[in-house]
C-alpha cells in the first residue's frame, strides 16, 4: 500500500502535465471552431463590458443619417444633391477626410434626362420647323444641359473639392472559400491596390468571387476601400479584414484607407506584411496569420454622432469638422447595415468603421496571434502543473487552491486585455484547472478508498473500530519495513497451560481458550491497544501503534488491570459451569521498537520487533518467581505517570543485556479517574 501511495505522489505531476498537454492540443484544434470558441467569445465580450470606459479619438466624427434626418428631409433614398451640399459644407469647414459608408452602385438619373422625351414632345411643332443643322444643335444643347444637371457628376465634382473622400466597394466572397477564375480587376479598382506586399499568401484569407463597385464617376473621383467582413465561428464580428485579395492584388478596407489618407502616407509607401500586419509609414496595424484585425469595441456612443439634417441646415459649428475624419453613414431604421457587438446586438456599420479608425489612430489595438497562443500554451501547462503539485495538500486545500487559481487566471486575462491589449484564452486554462483537479481528486479518492479497504481488512480484527476509523483518516503511511518509535508491549501467558491441556478434550480446550482470548482481546481494543498476535496460549499487544499515542504506557497498565478484572468475572462463570479456571501472567515493557509491515511484498504482517518485546516476555515469566500476576519494567512505570500503584520487586537479568532490569508489580489504582483517550497525532 505504501508503494501505491508513493506511485500516486510520483505520478501527480506527470498526470497533470498529460492533461495540460491534451488541453493544449484541444486549444490548437478548436481555437476558432465549435463550442469552445463560442464560449471563449463570450468571455471576450465580458472583458469588453467590464473594462473601464475611456474617451475615444476626438479626430473622428459621424454624420448620421438617422430617423430624425429622414423625418426632416424626407423619404429615403435621397437626391445626391443633398450629399453634394453636405460635401461642400464639409470642405468649407476644413474637413481632412470624408468616408462615405454608402454603396453608390447605381446611377441616379438627372431630372432633365428623365423628362427629355416630354420636353421634345411638347416642343414638337417648333422642332418640325427647324432644319437638320438647327435640330442637331438643339439636341446637342439639350444633351449638354442634361449632363450639367447630372447628380452623379455633381457628386463626383464635390468629392474632388474635398481633400480626400473614401468611397466604398464590396468584395463578394466565395461561400466555399475555394479559389475561382476571376475577371481582371477594373482599371478604376487597380488604382486602389497596395503594391508593396511581402510574405507568402495566407491560405485562409477569404477568396473573392466578385465585385460590387461604385459608379464610375464616383470611383474615379475618390479613393476606394472595401466594406466586406465576415462573422467568425461564434457568429460574431470580432475581426475585420484591413486588406482583401482580388486577382492577386490586395485592396484596403474603408477604415484602413481612411487612416492612410488622414496620415498622409502615400499608397506606394504602404507595406502589406502578409500574416503579420500592414505598415502605414510609422503606424503598424497588427493582424493575425489570416490578415484579420481584432476589433477593439467600445460602448455605443463613444464616438460623436451628429445628425445629417443638423449639418445640412447649418445647426453645427463648422469647426466641429476641421481637420477631422468624418464618416457619413446610416443608422435610421431599415437603412444601413448592423452588426452584433459586445455592447449591443445591432451596432451600426458606420459606427463599427469609426471604431476601427479610432483603433488605428490611437494605436488602440487588440492582439490575438501566434504570440498570444504561445502564452496560452504556457499558462495551460503552468495551471496543470500547479494543480498537480498543490493537490498533495489534500482535497480541501486543493479546492481552495483551484478556486484561487481560477480567480488569478481571470485577473491575469483581464489585466492582459485592459493594459496590454491581449486576448488570452480563458476557457482552456480554466478547463485545465478544473479537469486536472477533478481527475487527480478522483484518483486520490480511489487510492484512498483502496487504502481504507486495505486498512480495515488488515486491522479490523486487531484494533478497536474507533482506532481503525482514525487510522483510515490518518495521512501517515504504513511503510513496509517499519519505523522506530517508543511503544509499550504487553505480553500475556496462561499459567500451567500444558497441565490444563492434558485434562481437557480438544473441543473443551479450544472453547475455553477462545472465551479467554475474546475477553482479553476486548480489553486490549477498548484501551486503544493493537492485538499483535496470538502465540499458542500467549497474547502480544502493542500500545502506541499504529497511531502515535503519548499515553501508551498508561493505557497498557490500565489494560492489564482490566484484564485482571475480566479474568475474575470469567472465574465466576467458569465455577458456576464447573469448568477449570485459567490463570494468567502479564509482563509490560516500554522502549524504542520497530513497528511496521514485516515480511515480503506478497505477504506481511503489521507487527513489532525489538528488545523490549523480549523484556516483556521475561517479565511475564518472572511472575512465577515473584508470586505476582502483573510485572512492569522501570521504563513503563516512569512513562505511565498516572494514578497507578507500583510496588518494587527487585531486578531480573535479561539475556543480551549487561544491566539487570528493575521490576515493579502493578497493583490496583489509587485513583479510578480515567484519563482522556485522544491520541497525539
Amino acid at each position: 500500500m505504501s508503494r501505491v501511495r508513493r506511485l500516486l505522489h510520483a505520478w501527480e505531476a506527470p498526470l497533470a502535465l498529460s492533461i495540460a498537454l491534451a488541453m493544449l492540443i484541444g486549444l490548437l484544434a478548436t481555437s476558432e471552431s465549435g463550442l469552445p470558441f463560442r464560449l471563449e467569445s463570450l468571455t471576450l465580450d465580458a472583458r469588453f463590458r467590464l473594462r473601464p470606459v475611456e474617451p475615444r479619438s476626438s479626430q473622428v466624427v459621424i454624420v448620421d443619417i438617422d430617423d430624425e434626418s429622414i423625418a426632416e428631409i424626407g423619404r429615403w433614398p435621397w437626391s445626391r444633391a443633398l450629399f453634394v451640399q453636405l460635401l461642400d459644407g464639409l470642405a468649407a469647414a476644413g474637413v481632412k477626410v470624408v468616408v462615405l459608408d454608402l454603396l453608390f452602385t447605381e446611377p441616379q438619373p438627372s431630372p432633365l434626362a428623365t423628362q427629355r422625351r416630354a420636353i421634345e414632345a411638347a416642343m414638337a411643332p417648333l422642332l418640325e420647323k427647324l432644319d437638320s443643322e438647327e435640330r442637331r444643335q438643339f439636341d446637342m444643347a439639350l444633351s449638354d444641359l442634361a449632363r450639367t444637371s447630372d447628380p452623379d457628376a455633381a457628386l463626383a465634382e464635390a468629392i474632388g473639392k474635398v481633400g480626400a473622400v473614401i468611397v466604398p466597394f464590396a468584395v463578394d466572397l466565395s461561400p466555399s472559400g475555394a479559389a475561382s477564375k476571376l475577371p481582371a480587376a477594373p482599371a478604376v479598382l487597380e488604382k486602389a491596390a497596395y503594391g508593396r506586399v511581402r510574405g507568402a499568401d495566407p491560405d485562409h484569407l477569404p477568396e473573392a468571387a466578385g465585385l460590387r463597385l461604385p459608379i464610375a464617376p464616383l470611383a474615379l473621383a475618390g479613393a476606394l476601400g472595401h466594406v466586406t467582413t465576415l462573422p467568425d465561428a461564434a457568429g460574431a464580428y470580432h475581426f475585420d479584414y484591413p486588406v482583401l485579395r482580388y486577382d492577386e492584388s490586395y485592396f484596403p478596407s474603408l477604415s484602413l484607407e481612411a487612416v492612410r489618407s488622414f496620415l498622409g502616407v502615400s499608397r506606394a509607401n504602404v507595406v502589406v506584411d502578409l500574416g503579420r500586419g500592414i505598415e502605414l509609414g510609422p503606424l503598424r496595424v497588427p493582424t493575425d496569420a489570416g490578415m484579420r484585425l481584432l476589433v477593439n469595441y467600445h460602448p455605443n456612443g463613444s464616438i460623436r454622432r451628429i445628425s445629417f439634417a443638423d449639418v445640412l441646415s447649418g445647426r453645427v459649428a463648422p469647426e466641429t469638422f476641421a481637420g477631422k475624419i468624418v464618416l457619413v453613414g446610416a443608422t435610421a431604421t431599415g437603412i444601413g447595415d448592423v452588426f452584433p457587438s459586445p455592447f449591443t446586438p445591432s451596432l451600426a456599420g458606420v459606427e463599427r468603421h469609426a471604431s476601427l479608425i479610432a483603433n488605428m489612430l490611437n494605436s488602440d489595438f487588440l492582439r490575438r496571434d501566434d504570440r498570444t497562443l504561445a502564452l496560452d500554451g504556457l499558462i495551460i501547462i503552468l495551471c496543470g502543473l500547479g494543480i498537480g503539485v498543490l493537490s498533495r495538500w489534500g482535497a480541501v486545500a486543493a479546492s481552495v487552491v483551484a478556486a484561487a487559481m481560477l480567480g488569478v487566471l481571470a485577473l491575469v486575462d483581464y489585466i492582459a486585455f485592459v493594459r496590454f491589449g491581449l486576448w488570452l484564452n480563458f476557457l482552456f486554462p480554466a478547463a485545465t484547472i478544473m479537469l486536472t483537479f477533478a481527475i487527480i481528486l478522483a484518483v486520490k479518492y480511489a487510492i484512498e478508498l483502496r487504502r481504507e479497504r486495505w486498512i480495515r481488512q488488515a486491522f479490523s480484527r486487531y484494533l478497536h473500530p474507533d482506532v481503525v476509523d482514525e487510522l483510515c483518516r490518518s495521512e501517515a503511511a504504513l511503510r513496509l519495513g517499519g519505523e522506530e518509535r517508543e511503544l509499550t508491549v504487553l505480553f500475556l501467558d496462561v499459567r500451567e497451560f500444558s497441565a490444563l491441556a492434558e485434562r481437557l478434550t480438544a473441543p473443551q480446550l479450544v472453547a475455553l481458550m477462545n472465551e479467554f482470548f475474546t475477553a482479553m482481546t476486548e480489553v486490549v481494543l477498548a484501551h486503544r491497544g493493537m492485538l499483535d498476535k496470538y502465540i499458542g496460549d500467549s497474547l502480544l499487544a502493542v500500545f502506541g501503534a499504529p497511531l502515535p499515542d503519548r499515553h501508551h504506557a498508561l493505557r497498557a497498565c490500565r489494560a492489564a488491570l482490566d484484564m485482571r478484572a475480566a479474568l475474575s468475572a470469567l472465574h465466576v462463570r467458569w465455577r458456576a459451569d464447573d469448568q477449570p479456571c485459567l490463570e494468567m501472567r502479564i509482563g509490560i515493557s516500554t522502549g524504542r521498537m520497530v513497528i511496521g509491515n514485516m515480511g515480503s511484498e506478497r505477504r506481511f504482517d503489521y507487527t513489532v520487533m525489538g528488545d523490549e518485546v523480549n523484556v516483556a516476555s521475561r517479565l511475564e515469566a518472572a511472575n512465577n518467581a515473584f508470586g505476582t500476576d502483573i510485572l512492569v519494567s522501570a521504563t513503563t512505570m516512569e512513562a505511565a505517570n498516572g494514578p497507578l500503584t507500583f510496588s518494587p520487586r527487585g531486578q531480573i537479568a535479561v539475556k543480551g543485556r549487561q544491566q539487570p532490569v528493575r521490576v515493579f508489580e502493578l497493583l490496583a489504582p489509587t485513583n479510578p479517574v480515567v484519563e482522556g483517550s485522544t491520541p497525539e497525532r
Side-chain angles (χ1 to χ4, degrees):
M1 179 54 61
S2 60
R3 183 181 65 174
V4 173
R5 289 175 60 84
R6 286 197 303 271
L7 286 175
L8 172 63
H9 287 300
W11 282 99
E12 280 172 337
L15 176 61
L17 181 60
S18 300
I19 296 170
L21 291 175
M23 296 303 293
L24 180 56
I25 293 172
L27 170 64
L28 296 174
T30 64
S31 60
E32 290 199 23
S33 62
L35 181 61
F37 184 72
R38 290 196 292 273
L39 295 176
E40 181 61 26
S41 295
L42 294 178
T43 72
L44 175 65
D45 291 347
R47 281 172 253 190
F48 276 116
R49 290 190 289 270
L50 293 172
R51 181 176 60 183
V53 177
E54 298 177 354
R56 301 307 310 279
S57 174
S58 59
Q59 298 170 308
V60 183
V61 178
I62 296 174
V63 174
D64 188 7
I65 303 173
D66 53 9
D67 289 319
E68 291 76 11
S69 297
I70 298 292
E72 182 174 335
I73 295 173
R75 188 176 61 182
W76 183 266
W78 292 338
S79 168
R80 286 174 187 171
L82 296 175
F83 294 98
V84 172
Q85 184 180 347
L86 174 72
L87 289 177
D88 288 344
L90 293 175
V95 69
K96 193 167 185 180
V97 178
V98 175
V99 179
L100 297 177
D101 185 25
L102 299 164
L103 280 173
F104 296 102
T105 57
E106 298 291 336
Q108 188 177 75
S110 68
L112 184 59
T114 58
Q115 297 298 322
R116 182 169 181 169
R117 288 188 178 181
I119 294 173
E120 290 176 343
M123 296 181 64
L126 295 175
L127 294 176
E128 291 176 354
K129 299 177 181 181
L130 299 177
D131 58 27
S132 58
E133 178 61 24
E134 290 173 334
R135 178 60 186 264
R136 187 182 64 80
Q137 291 178 357
F138 176 81
D139 289 340
M140 289 178 58
L142 199 61
S143 297
D144 290 341
L145 184 60
R147 280 194 298 272
T148 57
S149 64
D150 183 357
D152 292 333
L155 181 56
E157 183 180 351
I159 288 174
K161 294 177 183 178
V162 181
V165 176
I166 318 300
V167 181
F169 71 96
V171 178
D172 295 325
L173 301 177
S174 174
S176 63
S180 58
K181 183 63 176 177
L182 296 173
V188 69
L189 181 61
E190 279 296 336
K191 72 170 187 175
Y194 288 166
R196 297 179 61 186
V197 180
R198 65 186 179 210
D201 288 351
D203 293 334
H204 33 286
L205 194 66
E207 293 288 346
L211 292 170
R212 282 178 289 159
L213 294 173
I215 57 176
L218 305 187
L220 290 169
L224 296 174
H226 77 78
V227 289
T228 301
T229 189
L230 284 174
D232 53 34
Y237 287 83
H238 289 119
F239 297 95
D240 192 71
Y241 289 92
V243 294
L244 277 178
R245 180 175 56 201
Y246 181 89
D247 190 27
E248 306 305 324
S249 296
Y250 287 86
F251 298 95
S253 67
L254 195 73
S255 53
L256 182 69
E257 184 66 4
V259 173
R260 183 198 66 78
S261 299
F262 184 81
L263 297 178
V265 179
S266 68
R267 193 172 279 104
N269 289 330
V270 176
V271 178
V272 178
D273 191 1
L274 295 175
R276 296 177 180 271
I278 299 100
E279 297 176 6
L280 299 177
L283 175 65
R284 182 176 182 86
V285 179
T287 67
D288 62 10
M291 295 304 294
R292 300 181 306 175
L293 171 64
L294 190 57
V295 184
N296 193 354
Y297 288 103
H298 286 264
N300 296 4
S302 58
I303 294 176
R304 186 178 182 185
R305 292 197 297 187
I306 301 172
S307 176
F308 190 103
D310 289 341
V311 179
L312 210 62
S313 62
R315 294 192 290 264
V316 181
E319 56 268 21
T320 303
F321 308 109
K324 304 288 181 63
I325 297 178
V326 176
L327 292 95
V328 181
T331 64
T333 305
I335 303 176
D337 48 359
V338 293
F339 301 87
S341 81
F343 300 98
T344 176
S346 55
L347 177 70
V350 65
E351 188 161 358
R352 186 172 186 271
H353 290 305
S355 294
L356 284 162
I357 292 171
N359 292 165
M360 297 181 205
L361 292 180
N362 298 335
S363 293
D364 187 16
F365 298 115
L366 298 178
R367 289 175 174 82
R368 184 174 183 268
D369 49 26
D370 292 342
R371 287 170 293 182
T372 58
L373 188 61
L375 282 175
D376 291 337
L378 177 61
I379 292 172
I380 287 173
I381 297 298
L382 291 177
C383 287
L385 287 177
I387 289 294
V389 172
L390 298 178
S391 62
R392 299 184 183 185
W393 293 356
V396 175
S399 301
V400 174
V401 169
M405 288 182 68
L406 287 173
V408 170
L409 174 64
L411 182 61
V412 167
D413 283 3
Y414 178 75
I415 292 175
F417 179 76
V418 173
R419 297 291 301 275
F420 304 104
L422 301 179
W423 177 9
L424 297 180
N425 190 280
F426 176 79
L427 179 66
F428 278 91
T432 300
I433 292 172
M434 294 185 289
L435 188 62
T436 304
F437 170 74
I439 290 177
I440 289 182
L441 197 65
V443 172
K444 287 172 70 73
Y445 177 77
I447 294 296
E448 291 301 321
L449 192 63
R450 181 180 175 186
R451 171 180 176 266
E452 179 178 343
R453 188 182 302 115
W454 180 84
I455 289 173
R456 292 190 184 279
Q457 289 175 351
F459 291 97
S460 59
R461 291 177 295 172
Y462 311 115
L463 291 171
H464 191 276
D466 293 343
V467 180
V468 174
D469 290 340
E470 291 183 24
L471 186 60
C472 290
R473 293 192 299 268
S474 173
E475 293 295 328
L478 302 178
R479 293 173 293 181
L480 181 64
E483 59 181 316
E484 188 179 35
R485 195 192 303 174
E486 183 177 280
L487 304 169
T488 298
V489 292
L490 182 152
F491 196 88
L492 177 151
D493 187 65
V494 176
R495 290 180 186 267
E496 299 178 357
F497 177 76
S498 299
L500 179 66
E502 291 179 357
R503 300 199 309 267
L504 299 176
T505 64
Q508 291 175 327
L509 181 62
V510 169
L512 188 65
M513 292 303 297
N514 284 345
E515 188 176 9
F516 171 75
F517 278 135
T518 297
M520 298 304 109
T521 300
E522 290 297 328
V523 173
V524 170
L525 300 184
H527 286 273
R528 303 179 65 84
M530 185 194 79
L531 178 63
D532 189 303
K533 60 175 67 72
Y534 301 112
I535 311 170
D537 61 331
S538 302
L539 177 151
L540 178 63
V542 182
F543 293 82
L547 292 175
D549 184 354
R550 62 193 178 103
H551 303 297
H552 54 84
L554 180 61
R555 295 190 194 282
C557 292
R558 285 178 170 163
L561 294 174
D562 284 352
M563 286 177 172
R564 178 191 288 166
L567 183 59
S568 298
L570 288 175
H571 284 172
V572 173
R573 187 163 66 252
W574 287 337
R575 291 190 184 100
D577 295 340
D578 195 23
Q579 295 185 48
C581 293
L582 302 180
E583 300 294 341
M584 65 181 181
R585 303 184 299 254
I586 296 175
I588 304 173
S589 183
T590 301
R592 303 291 297 182
M593 305 172 219
V594 175
I595 185 78
N597 293 312
M598 308 297 179
S600 68
E601 291 280 355
R602 289 183 174 274
R603 183 178 180 85
F604 51 83
D605 290 318
Y606 192 77
T607 187
V608 65
M609 297 178 65
D611 188 51
E612 298 302 331
V613 180
N614 184 43
V615 172
S617 177
R618 293 286 294 116
L619 290 173
E620 175 272 318
N623 279 291
N624 286 334
F626 291 110
T628 57
D629 59 350
I630 304 175
L631 289 178
V632 304
S633 65
T635 55
T636 299
M637 183 196 70
E638 294 167 358
N641 191 28
L644 300 172
T645 301
F646 298 95
S647 175
R649 290 295 183 178
Q651 299 178 340
I652 62 171
V654 177
K655 185 178 181 180
R657 287 196 175 191
Q658 295 182 352
Q659 299 295 328
V661 176
R662 290 188 298 150
V663 178
F664 295 83
E665 181 184 6
L666 176 60
L667 304 175
T670 57
N671 188 342
V673 176
V674 177
E675 189 174 335
S677 61
T678 302
E680 181 183 29
R681 299 293 181 102

